[in-house]
Structures are given as C-alpha cells and as structure tokens.
Amino acid sequence: MKQRSASPPPVTPVVLRRRPLRQRLTGWAFVLPFAVPFLLAVVAPIVYTAGLSLFQERLIGGVTFVGLDNYGEQLSDPRFWDGVARVGLFLLIQVPLMMGFALGAALALDSARLYAPAIFRLGIFLPYAVPGVVASLLWGYIYGAQFGLVGDLKELFDIALPDPLSSTLILPSISNIGLWLYVGYNMLVLYAALQSIPSELFEAARIDGAGTWHIIVGIKLPAIRATLVFTTIFSVIGGFQLFNEPNILRAMVPNVISTDFTPNMYAYTLSFAGQQYNSAAAVAMIMGVVTAVVAFTVQRRGMKGAV
C-alpha cells in the first residue's frame, strides 16, 4: 500500500515590526552632527547657486527668470573654454608628475633603505604646511627674471636663462608650485597604505625568489590601487579649483595671466569685478558638473578590474 506523504507544515507569515520611536530617534541623533553641517555647508550653497544661475538682473525689469540662458551664454563664450583648456593642460602636466613623485617617495620610505628617513619624510611634507598664497609669492619672486633668483643668476653668471613667467612656461611654473606643495601630502597617504600591507606577503614572495621590482609590481602596487585612485581623484579635483597661484602671479605678469586664465578666475572676475553674479553662478555650476564627471570617470577607470 502506497503511503501518503506528510503535508508540509503551514507557513507562518513574518510580521515586520517597526522599531520603537526612541530607537529611531537615537539613530538620527548620531547622524545629525554630520547631516546638519553637510546641509548648511554643501547642499544649501549648491541649491542657492543653482537658483541664482537661473535668473538675470536687467536694467529694465530688474531680476528676471531666464532659465538656462546664462548657461548657454557661458558655454558659447570662448574665454570660458580657453580657461577650461588651460586647466585641462595643467592637469595633464601636474597630476601624473605629482602621483609619480609621491609614489616614488612613498616606496623609498617603505623600502627601509633610506638614511635618516624621518628627515626625508619631513623635508618632503613640510611644504604642505605653507599656505598656498605664501607659496605662490615665494615662487613668484624666485621665478622673476628681472628681480628674482632667476634674474640674479643671469646677472651673476652672465648666462641666458628661460623666463619661468613667460607665456610658454607659465603653466609648468604654476604646476611646479603645486608639486612643491602637495607631493608630501600624497606621499604620506600612499606610505600609510603601504604600511598596512601584511608583511607575510613579502616573506612568501622572497621565498619564491621574487626580487624588489617584482614585489613592487606584483604586491605593493595592486594592494594600494584604491589609495592611488583616491589620491588621483583629489588631485584632479584640486586641479580644477586652480585659483590662488595664477591669481597671485598675475600681479607680476599681468600681460601673461589674464583675468579669465582659469574658470575660477573667470567666475571671480564676473562676480566681483563685473557684478554679474548670475553668470558667475552658471560658470560655477558648469565647472562643478565637469569636475564631478571627470572625477567619476577617473574612479571608474582606476577601479576597473579591481577585486
């Protein structure tokens, strides 16, 4: 006789209970110390700038809603695109050099083969403590072909030296200031990431016969890949914010550095010199979107294939 299989027990529905109000309020209390400053310092200025960019102050009619007219005006302005092109060229010069120098210095520190590594680390990091305005003034007087170190060397040795503040060398000169300021910071970030790699990996690699170069390429660089991408993204964002260095050097070479040399200088000129606050807000929003897109692209490309 065929036995009937036992029927499965009835399924008891799961009842989701809402957490007590006290627990929910406790969670929000932990979030508030971050949320309130973030809303006031980040979200509110962005919303205000976006709203400001949609209006225009006219002689007849006063402040008028114009929609995206300010964006169209700036996107068709060659001065804006000239500034974007200069910043793009600046990034192509500075970011690879900065990451290369920072990575090389971090690997040298991590090798434990340097004599007096503390002095080496402090010497590279110390410029980061110098304010950007002071650094720009300092290097501006060094670059001066008529009044600075370059001019003194030309007069002392009676030799012809290139002018670092000329139109052809101004971008590399500004890039050098950025390198001097921020290589030390990136070096410390990368060095901290290298120090977190388990030493057992290096011991196993040496047992297998791997040399120093193989350890760097096969273990160290893949292990700090996320940190490299992180520092590269922040270097790109900092490059798009270029303002202090050219604005300070402009007083020394006004014929080389114009008021629209970078998008930030262009927005500053529109706002404070031309009283065109709505157009300046449009420039700020455009550059914010461009910076976000480029940073996101760098992140996706840098982390592609990473585990």
Side-chain angles (χ1 to χ4, degrees), residues 3-297:
Q3 290 185 348
R4 296 178 59 187
S5 59
S7 59
V11 178
T12 304
V14 178
V15 179
L16 298 177
R17 296 182 179 179
R18 295 186 64 185
R19 290 180 299 169
L21 178 62
R22 182 177 179 181
Q23 291 185 6
R24 284 183 282 153
L25 292 179
T26 302
W28 280 108
F30 281 103
V31 174
L32 280 178
F34 165 79
V36 173
F38 179 77
L39 290 173
L40 294 177
V42 178
V43 177
I46 292 176
V47 172
Y48 176 75
T49 303
L52 193 66
S53 66
L54 302 178
F55 291 85
Q56 196 174 87
E57 187 173 356
R58 296 174 175 173
L59 294 177
I60 301 175
V63 179
T64 307
F65 179 79
V66 295
L68 300 178
D69 288 356
N70 289 323
Y71 292 91
E73 179 183 349
Q74 297 309 317
L75 289 174
S76 61
D77 191 337
R79 294 179 298 171
F80 170 74
W81 289 112
D82 288 344
V84 173
R86 289 191 195 95
V87 168
L89 182 59
F90 171 79
L91 291 174
L92 290 177
I93 295 173
Q94 188 189 37
V95 173
L97 288 175
M98 178 181 295
M99 298 312 302
F101 286 138
L103 180 61
L107 290 172
L109 283 174
D110 188 63
S111 68
R113 297 179 181 178
L114 288 177
Y115 178 76
I119 298 177
F120 177 83
R121 181 170 61 247
L122 180 63
I124 297 180
F125 180 75
L126 193 59
Y128 182 68
V130 179
V133 174
V134 176
S136 300
L137 287 171
L138 172 66
W139 280 98
Y141 286 115
I142 292 176
Y143 289 151
Q146 304 296 330
F147 51 83
L149 179 61
V150 173
D152 292 340
L153 291 176
K154 290 170 63 176
E155 183 179 353
L156 180 62
F157 296 103
D158 193 22
I159 56 176
L161 294 176
D163 183 5
L165 297 179
S166 63
S167 58
T168 56
L169 294 178
I170 189 64
L171 272 180
S173 298
I174 294 175
S175 178
N176 178 65
I177 299 175
L179 291 174
W180 186 74
L181 280 171
Y182 300 113
V183 163
Y185 169 80
N186 290 310
M187 175 199 68
L188 284 187
V189 174
L190 295 175
Y191 177 61
L194 288 170
Q195 289 291 292
S196 65
I197 302 174
S199 58
E200 293 83 1
L201 296 177
F202 304 137
E203 295 173 1
R206 292 189 182 96
I207 291 175
D208 290 339
T212 302
W213 177 249
H214 294 91
I215 291 176
I216 292 174
V217 175
I219 298 178
K220 291 186 178 182
L221 293 184
I224 64 170
R225 182 173 180 176
T227 307
L228 279 170
V229 174
F230 167 80
T231 50
T232 302
I233 289 173
F234 274 81
S235 298
V236 169
I237 294 173
F240 275 114
Q241 295 174 350
L242 183 64
F243 178 79
N244 280 337
E245 292 82 356
N247 195 48
I248 295 298
L249 295 177
R250 183 176 176 273
M252 303 177 184
V253 281
N255 295 328
V256 175
I257 301 178
S258 60
T259 56
D260 52 2
F261 190 78
T262 68
N264 279 358
M265 290 181 65
Y266 180 47
Y268 179 86
T269 303
L270 286 174
S271 180
F272 294 99
Q275 306 299 313
Q276 302 179 45
Y277 305 110
N278 307 101
S279 298
V283 173
M285 293 301 298
I286 293 171
M287 290 308 301
V289 172
V290 171
T291 304
V293 170
V294 173
F296 179 74
T297 304

